[in-house]
Amino acid sequence: MSVTLEAGAPSGASPPAGGDAIVTDGLTKRFKGGQVAVDSLDLAVPRGSVYGFLGPNGSGKTTTIRMLLGLVTPTSGSYTVVPLPRVGALVEGPAFYPYLSGEANLLRYDAADPTAPRRTARARVAAALDRVGLSAAAAKRYRHYSLGMRQRLAIAAALLGPRELLILDEPTNGLDPQGTREVRSLVKEIAADGTTVFVSSHLLAEVEHMCTHAAIMRAGRLVAQGTIASLSGGRAPRIRVETPDAADAARVLRGLGLSAVVLDGVEVSAELGGHAPERLNASLVEAGVAVRGLSVVRPSLEEVFVGLTGEGFDVEG
């Protein structure tokens, strides 16, 4: 088993190959008693991406993150990450003092880091608060923060130094819709500034909204990885027609060469193939079909996951 950290980390080994911020090769963690939490994991996380690490609870996501951060020793395999001093992480969130302000909490958090320069503490805290949109609430007590503000403060704690990579474990877990939107927007902004963001989540819809790439885990094993577009591209888009003339619509679509035609009440769907939706609409109308609605439906990550594994997990939480 070997562990590789980019130059500047304790091992002093070589950086990740190519344009990747994280690379794992056969990374495995087997606990006492024989339980395999992570099984031969091969990840490639491109620099500058927002990378969704997807899987149901218990699929090995948090164990993988703990190995990448050096908190858990792998049983076998290897991993390579950017220098640890340039990695920010939010794993189960820091414990903040409810009666201290956001600024005071970050100053205490920063003081606990022996590598952080004391003379720049206030400037770095101010910059981190500004980065997450909490400058106006810097003097406000933590106990008065909303759920979304609390999670943004936790992310600010991970941004107290310059970061090439930000690792977030379930950053929207337990948040209300407003808090979820706040964190999602923040993740996109951080990535737009050039930081690679690695987001672990069991919420497929959240990953679809904010990520450029994703990996899908099941029972400790990697099922698939790639860009969001490539993962969804493995399943054909479908055209869906809402009409009171469902049987006639199905006949027209079959006659035009569309496959996998399905009738469901007043809806008819079929694999779109290379057909132009506007031409299909014109053909239906010419055939006397009353078209109430027509849309192209592309497969979601949930459908991709179910298609790959025969299982599902939380979509919205």
Side-chain angles (χ1 to χ4, degrees):
M1 186 275 292
S2 65
V3 175
T4 305
L5 301 174
E6 193 170 322
S11 67
S14 59
D20 294 325
I22 299 173
V23 176
T24 71
D25 183 10
L27 191 63
T28 300
K29 179 59 182 179
R30 181 178 290 102
F31 290 108
K32 292 180 179 179
Q35 178 193 357
V36 179
V38 178
D39 190 358
S40 301
L41 179 62
D42 297 331
L43 284 181
V45 179
R47 290 181 189 263
S49 65
V50 181
Y51 195 97
F53 194 40
L54 271 168
N57 291 327
S59 61
K61 303 188 304 298
T62 297
T63 300
T64 298
I65 287 175
R66 290 183 179 279
M67 286 192 285
L68 295 177
L69 294 174
L71 302 175
V72 170
T73 302
T75 304
S76 61
S78 64
Y79 66 89
T80 306
V81 299
V82 301
L84 283 185
R86 299 186 72 85
V87 177
L90 172 58
V91 182
E92 297 180 359
F96 291 120
Y97 295 96
Y99 291 96
L100 292 181
S101 68
E103 180 185 36
N105 266 297
L106 288 190
L107 286 169
R108 282 179 173 257
Y109 188 82
D110 186 70
D113 181 356
T115 67
R118 300 279 76 82
R119 66 184 184 280
T120 61
R122 288 194 175 276
R124 288 184 293 100
V125 165
L129 288 168
D130 180 65
R131 187 70 197 80
V132 301
L134 287 177
S135 292
K140 189 176 184 178
R141 289 184 179 183
Y142 178 77
R143 69 190 180 100
H144 296 306
Y145 276 20
S146 67
L147 289 174
M149 292 169 70
R150 292 181 180 191
Q151 195 70 334
R152 283 189 282 149
L153 187 69
I155 294 173
L159 295 174
L160 286 172
R163 306 301 187 197
E164 292 181 36
L165 171 65
L166 183 62
I167 297 177
L168 305 175
D169 191 13
E170 301 282 1
T172 61
N173 200 26
L175 296 185
D176 58 20
Q178 177 60 32
T180 297
R181 285 190 292 270
E182 291 174 6
V183 171
R184 183 195 304 156
S185 297
L186 177 59
V187 166
K188 291 180 178 179
E189 290 170 9
I190 291 170
D193 288 342
T195 300
T196 305
V197 185
F198 185 84
V199 184
S200 167
S201 181
H202 66 284
L203 303 177
L204 289 137
E206 275 310 299
V207 167
E208 280 191 293
H209 279 127
M210 73 174 124
C211 295
T212 60
H213 297 68
I216 299 175
M217 295 283 288
R218 181 172 73 95
R221 296 189 66 87
L222 181 67
V223 176
Q225 71 175 320
T227 64
I228 297 294
S230 69
L231 289 173
S232 298
R235 294 172 63 89
R238 297 180 65 84
I239 187 167
R240 183 164 58 197
V241 181
E242 183 182 349
T243 173
D245 309 318
D248 291 336
R251 175 180 51 78
V252 172
L253 294 179
R254 289 193 185 99
L256 292 170
L258 276 71
S259 61
V261 177
V262 176
L263 281 76
D264 184 9
V266 296
E267 281 191 358
V268 180
S269 67
E271 288 189 3
L272 184 59
H275 298 272
E278 61 273 19
R279 292 188 178 276
L280 294 176
N281 185 58
S283 297
L284 289 165
V285 173
E286 288 172 6
V289 175
V291 178
R292 291 177 179 168
L294 184 145
S295 60
V296 175
V297 182
R298 301 191 181 278
S300 66
L301 278 180
E302 181 193 21
E303 291 171 315
V304 171
F305 184 86
V306 172
L308 288 169
T309 69
E311 298 181 9
F313 56 96
D314 288 354
V315 180
E316 299 290 353

